[in-house]
Structures are given as structure tokens and as C-alpha cells.
Amino acid sequence: MTIEVEATAGELLGSLAARADADFAVTMQRYFPRRTRALGVSNASTVEIANDYFRERPDVPPATRLALAEEVLSRASHHEEVLLGFAVLHKVARVGLGPGLLDRCEHWLGTYVSNWAQCDDLCLKLLYPFFRGHLDQIPRTRAWTGSESNWARRAANVAVVKFVRRKVGRSVFELPLSHVFDNCTRLMHDDDAYVQKGCGWLLKVTAEVHPDEVAEFLRTWHTEMSRDTFRYAVEKMDKEMRASLMALRRPGYDVPGRGGK
């Protein structure tokens, strides 16, 4: 099926605007430390708009969806419009789009993503199904640790949190510990709080599978690690191990130049 990309982008964005709720837009601000321009539409409703459109047009090729996503993103001026651009691709990410999608995601992280929620939406709703169909592409995200974009640097870790240990088909995929620890070491002195929280998130999930190895990593690096990274990393550890690691941190300790929100 052929669609007119520019007209369709306008139709989808119009449907999104029609659901705007000024009161909800104000409520949303509490999740962001800086003012975020929002329409006041829930994530679920945003995804529903894209799904409803393609439910009636199941034969639209993935390449056309990608062009539509690019068009929506290029017009986006509100938080939910960025999420809508990503939602257009959710259903075709696993098998419909090739490795080139990863390059597009890196570009979007540096160009259109402006807050942690957009970053994590791209990672967990778009890249997660993509990687389930392209496990061999996961190592490419390691290069994002050196990106000029703080959201790409955060995504280097958030995009792989679901692959620390993940059943894919009949086999089990495990993210190498070297991937986890190298990423976190490279980003150890990053000044962005959300990058540090991304490191802590990946370490926390890894600790559920490899607690001893993560504990040793924390013992080695605790004097250089930010408070957020360390706090997130030990959050799900057993009580005894967590107490032992927390004892390494003197009261009020923090790495200069890095902090929370």
C-alpha cells in the first residue's frame, strides 16, 4: 500500500493534537527537571494513534513507515510528537528494518531527543524489539559512549538493560560482562546525571545475574563512581552485600562535579 508521507504525518500529528489536555500537560512537568513542552497526551494514547492508523493499513512497507517517522520527527515541537515518531516503527522494528535503523536512532538521539523519557522510550520500545531480531547489532551501541550527545551516551546502557540475560527464541542471550563494565568505565567521569543513572541502571540489572562480579567492580571503582551510579547499582542486591558495599562510602561522600537531578 502506498501512502502520501507528508499528508499522513499531518494527519497523525493532528490526531495527537486533538487529544491534548492542558491540565495533564502541567502535571507531566513534575517528571522533568527542566520545562518540557508537552501536549498532555499519555504515552499509551500516543502509541494507540499509530497502531490504529496502521491496523487499517497493514500493508504499508517498513521503508515507508521509516520515512513517515522521519517526517513526524522533523516536525516535532512537543514531547509526545517525538514519541509518536518512534511509535510509527514499533511493530516493524524486529524484522522489517535492517541494521540501518541503528544509525537512524543514533541520529535521532542527537537531534530530536531532549529528555530522559524520550531516550528511554526509544531504547525500550523501539531498540528492544529491533535487537531481539538483530542480536549481532548490540555491540555497535558501545561506540555511543563516545557520542557528543548525552542522550546517546545514556542510551548506550539503557538500550541493553533487557539483554543482560534474555531468552530469545529457543536460546538465551547474555550480554558479556566486558560490555557492561567497559561501558561503565568509559562513562565513569561523565558529568551528565542521566548518563550516570543509566550506568547505575545497567549495573543494577547485571547484579541480579552476576552479583559477585558487580560487587567486585564496585569495590574497585567506588572512589571514582558518582553517588547516583553507586546507589542505583546496589539497589537490588541482598541486604548483606548491599550493607558491605555501602560501608565503603563515607557519609555525605560524592564525586565532585556530579550529582542528581
Side-chain angles (χ1 to χ4, degrees):
M1 174 181 286
T2 301
I3 62 172
E4 211 293 309
V5 169
E6 291 186 4
T8 300
E11 180 181 344
L12 291 174
L13 289 167
S15 297
L16 185 66
R19 300 194 187 194
D21 181 331
D23 291 336
F24 185 51
V26 171
T27 300
M28 288 173 61
Q29 297 301 321
R30 72 175 185 267
Y31 297 110
F32 304 103
R34 298 183 183 88
R35 185 180 180 279
T36 296
R37 194 176 185 200
L39 293 168
V41 182
S42 70
N43 290 1
S45 293
T46 301
V47 172
E48 182 181 40
I49 289 169
N51 289 347
D52 285 350
Y53 181 85
F54 289 109
R55 188 176 295 112
E56 299 176 1
R57 302 164 181 83
D59 297 327
V60 175
T64 303
R65 287 201 189 208
L66 181 59
L68 179 59
E70 295 273 17
E71 182 67 23
V72 170
L73 289 168
S74 72
R75 300 189 194 184
S77 59
H78 293 82
H79 168 70
E80 299 91 338
E81 292 168 342
V82 174
L83 302 186
L84 179 62
F86 300 155
V88 164
L89 299 175
H90 288 176
K91 299 293 186 179
V92 296
R94 181 170 182 175
V95 297
L97 300 167
L101 177 63
L102 205 55
D103 297 319
R104 300 317 303 154
C105 286
E106 183 179 11
H107 171 71
W108 297 337
L109 285 161
T111 306
Y112 301 118
V113 169
S114 61
N115 61 56
W116 66 266
Q118 293 170 357
C119 176
D120 294 4
D121 186 276
L122 182 148
C123 290
L124 303 178
K125 295 182 181 178
L126 182 54
L127 284 177
Y128 170 65
F130 171 76
F131 285 140
R132 283 183 64 88
H134 303 81
L135 293 173
D136 62 310
Q137 296 298 305
I138 289 177
R140 290 179 57 196
T141 61
R142 296 179 70 172
W144 294 0
T145 60
S147 174
E148 293 183 3
S149 164
N150 59 317
W151 300 118
R153 298 196 305 275
R154 174 178 170 86
N157 285 332
V158 177
V160 298
V161 292
K162 290 191 174 185
F163 291 94
V164 170
R165 178 177 287 166
R166 170 67 50 178
K167 186 174 182 181
V168 181
R170 296 183 177 181
S171 62
V172 175
F173 175 86
E174 286 201 15
L175 192 69
L177 282 171
S178 59
H179 185 134
V180 175
F181 295 150
D182 286 353
N183 270 20
C184 293
T185 302
R186 292 178 188 180
L187 295 169
M188 188 79 65
H189 301 107
D190 197 296
D191 288 333
D192 190 277
Y194 286 106
V195 172
Q196 291 303 326
K197 291 174 182 178
C199 291
W201 187 358
L202 181 57
L203 288 168
K204 175 174 67 176
V205 174
T206 304
E208 295 183 61
V209 180
H210 305 286
D212 293 336
E213 290 85 349
V214 172
E216 184 57 32
F217 181 80
L218 296 177
R219 291 188 187 99
T220 300
W221 291 99
H222 73 94
T223 58
E224 296 188 50
M225 194 172 289
S226 81
R227 177 175 55 193
D228 283 332
T229 302
F230 192 90
R231 177 169 56 87
Y232 276 50
V234 302
E235 192 173 276
K236 293 293 183 69
M237 289 181 169
D238 66 66
K239 186 176 181 180
E240 183 177 342
M241 182 176 287
R242 186 174 185 275
S244 172
L245 291 168
M246 291 298 292
L248 297 172
R249 309 284 295 221
R250 64 180 182 272
Y253 175 89
D254 195 11
V255 176
R258 294 199 291 282
K261 293 182 180 179

